[in-house]
Amino acid sequence: MMNNSVSVKKKEKKKMKFPHAFVLLFSIIAIVGILTYIIPAGAFDRIDVNGRQVVDATSFHYIDPTPVGVFDIFMAIPQGIQAASALIIMILLIGGAIRVFDGTGAIKAAIFRLTKIIGEERSHWVLAAIMLFFGCLGAFPGMLEAAIPFAPLCIGIALALGYDALVGISIALIAIVMGWTAGPSNPWNVGIGQSISELPMFSGLGFRLFIFVILMAVSIGYVLRYASKIRKDPSASVVYGMNTDHLVNIEQEDMEFTSRHKLILITLATTIGFIVYGTIQWKWGIPHMSATYIIGAIIAGIIAGYDSGKIADELLEGGKAIFIGAMAVGLARAIQVVMEQGNIADTIVYGISYPLKGLPAYITSVAMFMVQTIINFFIPSGSGQAMVTLPIMIPAADIIGLNRQIAILAYQFGDGLSNLCYPTVGGLVAFLMYSKVSFNKWLKFIMPFMVLAWGVAIILLMIAVMMNYGPF
């Protein structure tokens, strides 16, 4: 009998699994729906500043409750997908375009040519180079979601070099989030934040470049240390034993790196460079980026010798591969839809930010960072969070004599770093959905890094206060 009971318990343990990412997201949507019956509805008045609607920090007031019903919770799912439709379409189209580039074999041939040159034992240099590339995408044009369509490719490269799926996720996702957080010329967090705060656009660039170097060094060091450990001992992997048959596995083989391959890579680099330039100089949006990737993919397909049917097939296959991730973005957006319908977002912001009044400058800077980190769970949008919170944080900073630039830096850290550990962040969920890495496994891998990154952020905030980081 004892043996039977022990075996039953073992079976029960085996059956206990962390919920599917979509189940987790829907659970959060339902919980937020319940909160609309508990948290009082409230609102700030919005005023127009330079064509943007921002919060009047002194205008918070309670309004009649608007609890979200059961049917409305389910309605929030298609509404969230509709609200995020431009981003979802971009992910599908760019995912298709990346498949065309990757399907030609050019990227695979280049990676293994590079690995041969530097030696397989130093393949971590390839990982570092990829991380720097994605870090720059996040830091300068602020292309946070741009990493999502690269998920199949980056994970495939990591597996081919003898690492695991977590390394593949990290070289794209951690890097681009670190770049976004530092944001030397990120138009979405720093640009909007400085506009709201009436600071010169992209002022304080030098210190943010220093932050970018520090955050990239910390993240590359963490990923390479983990990669080195699991390459020596695969059983040390957090996802050891995970089935990777569903992932794009770039098999190592003796491939010639041809002139055609070089032309295709030049086309890819030109496509990305054009998008970065267009984003910064011409204020391009999602449709422009998507269209440019499609053009680049067609050119690459022609260079590869594909006919029109082959190019179309590759575009569709790439879209299929990233479809689950794209839908995760829409489901995550549904959480915000419920909060907006229940009118509890402003109440949450007001309740969290109110205690900051009257604190010393050093404590306030860290407290602002912590508050923005909490709020990012509920409003995982850099520009959206800036519009809601900065009109409250900036006057609070003025009252205690804290430099406005430091208040924006606290917002950057709060908005950025937690994108790596919140299930409400569409980009993170998209990577996990594609790779089929469970959220609890991801947390086991990422939380030591989060503690490290948050510690570094606090030190950087202390330095900013000490030097009176400015202007203003």
Side-chain angles (χ1 to χ4, degrees):
M1 289 292 289
M2 283 284 290
N3 289 336
N4 286 341
S5 63
V6 170
S7 63
V8 168
K9 283 181 181 178
K10 282 183 178 179
K11 285 179 182 178
E12 285 176 355
K13 278 187 177 180
K14 284 182 181 179
K15 286 179 182 177
M16 286 180 67
K17 288 184 178 179
F18 200 79
H20 190 285
F22 274 19
V23 175
L24 183 62
L25 281 173
F26 181 76
S27 299
I28 295 171
I29 294 169
I31 290 168
V32 172
I34 293 169
L35 288 177
T36 63
Y37 290 86
I38 300 170
I39 298 174
F44 289 100
D45 292 334
R46 263 66 176 176
I47 55 176
D48 189 78
V49 176
N50 298 326
R52 291 192 179 98
Q53 289 290 306
V54 300
V55 167
D56 178 357
T58 62
S59 67
F60 180 79
H61 55 281
Y62 292 104
I63 61 176
D64 292 335
T66 55
V68 178
V70 175
F71 186 70
D72 290 328
I73 288 174
F74 284 92
M75 279 287 292
I77 296 172
Q79 288 170 345
I81 293 171
Q82 185 178 23
S85 58
L87 179 56
I88 291 169
I89 291 167
M90 182 199 79
I91 292 168
L92 293 173
L93 290 176
I94 296 179
I98 296 301
R99 172 62 179 254
V100 176
F101 284 107
D102 186 37
T104 64
I107 297 172
K108 176 166 63 173
I111 289 292
F112 293 117
R113 173 70 177 273
L114 183 60
T115 304
K116 274 187 177 180
I117 292 171
I118 66 175
E120 198 167 314
E121 70 280 358
R122 288 178 289 181
S123 60
H124 54 276
W125 288 10
V126 177
L127 302 181
I130 294 171
M131 289 188 75
L132 283 172
F133 166 72
F134 281 105
C136 289
L137 280 186
F140 300 103
M143 297 167 64
L144 184 60
E145 287 84 8
I148 299 173
F150 285 88
L153 178 61
C154 289
I155 293 172
I157 289 171
L159 294 176
L161 293 176
Y163 304 113
D164 64 11
L166 289 174
V167 173
I169 295 171
S170 300
I171 58 176
L173 189 63
I174 292 180
I176 208 164
V177 167
M178 292 299 104
W180 167 278
T181 300
S185 62
N186 185 335
W188 309 110
N189 58 7
V190 174
I192 291 176
Q194 291 185 334
S195 175
I196 293 171
S197 307
E198 299 177 335
L199 295 176
M201 186 60 67
F202 299 132
S203 55
L205 178 66
F207 189 59
R208 287 198 304 279
L209 285 170
F210 170 72
I211 291 170
F212 174 64
V213 172
I214 295 297
L215 292 183
M216 288 307 300
V218 170
S219 57
I220 290 173
Y222 183 83
V223 173
L224 294 191
R225 183 171 174 272
Y226 173 81
S228 176
K229 181 176 75 172
I230 65 166
R231 195 164 194 191
K232 291 176 183 174
D233 178 14
S235 66
S237 168
V238 174
V239 291
Y240 179 67
M242 170 183 158
N243 185 0
T244 59
D245 291 345
H246 62 287
L247 300 174
V248 176
N249 197 337
I250 303 176
E251 295 179 0
Q252 295 209 40
E253 54 189 56
D254 189 16
M255 283 188 67
E256 184 184 355
F257 187 44
T258 66
S259 298
R260 182 174 284 188
H261 287 151
K262 292 173 186 175
L263 282 174
I264 291 168
L265 289 182
I266 290 170
T267 303
L268 176 59
T270 303
T271 300
I272 294 172
F274 207 75
I275 287 169
V276 171
Y277 184 83
T279 303
I280 296 171
Q281 294 296 324
W282 301 326
K283 310 301 179 189
W284 273 9
I286 287 173
H288 301 90
M289 289 190 280
S290 301
T292 306
Y293 264 111
I294 292 170
I295 293 168
I298 292 171
I299 294 171
I302 292 169
I303 294 172
Y306 292 172
D307 59 26
S308 58
K310 175 68 172 174
I311 294 173
D313 286 341
E314 290 291 287
L315 284 167
L316 289 172
E317 284 300 316
K320 285 179 190 175
I322 203 66
F323 176 78
I324 294 174
M327 286 299 100
V329 172
L331 204 59
R333 181 66 178 83
I335 297 166
Q336 200 169 340
V337 170
V338 174
M339 292 182 65
E340 289 167 357
Q341 291 178 352
N343 287 297
I344 62 171
D346 284 3
T347 307
I348 291 170
V349 170
Y350 177 74
I352 292 173
S353 60
Y354 186 79
L356 293 179
K357 293 180 180 178
L359 295 175
Y362 282 100
I363 297 175
T364 300
S365 63
V366 177
M368 282 184 172
F369 161 49
M370 293 170 66
V371 166
Q372 296 285 8
T373 299
I374 295 168
I375 291 173
N376 195 48
F377 182 91
F378 300 98
I379 311 175
S381 160
S383 55
Q385 193 177 150
M387 294 293 189
V388 173
T389 62
L390 286 182
I392 301 165
M393 299 298 185
I394 296 303
D398 289 345
I399 290 169
I400 65 161
L402 184 69
N403 200 309
R404 290 187 174 193
Q405 201 77 259
I406 299 171
I408 292 174
L409 185 61
Y411 147 72
Q412 287 174 240
F413 289 151
D415 163 66
L417 297 175
S418 55
N419 285 322
L420 289 172
C421 64
Y422 283 164
T424 53
V425 177
L428 169 60
V429 176
F431 267 87
L432 298 183
M433 285 299 301
Y434 169 74
S435 62
K436 294 186 180 177
V437 171
S438 65
F439 192 69
N440 61 323
K441 291 284 180 69
W442 172 254
L443 285 181
K444 184 178 179 182
F445 166 76
I446 201 64
M447 286 315 294
F449 176 75
M450 295 307 304
V451 172
L452 176 63
W454 283 329
V456 170
I458 290 171
I459 292 169
L460 290 169
L461 280 171
M462 295 294 99
I463 294 171
V465 174
M466 286 175 61
M467 63 185 279
N468 197 28
Y469 174 46
F472 315 115

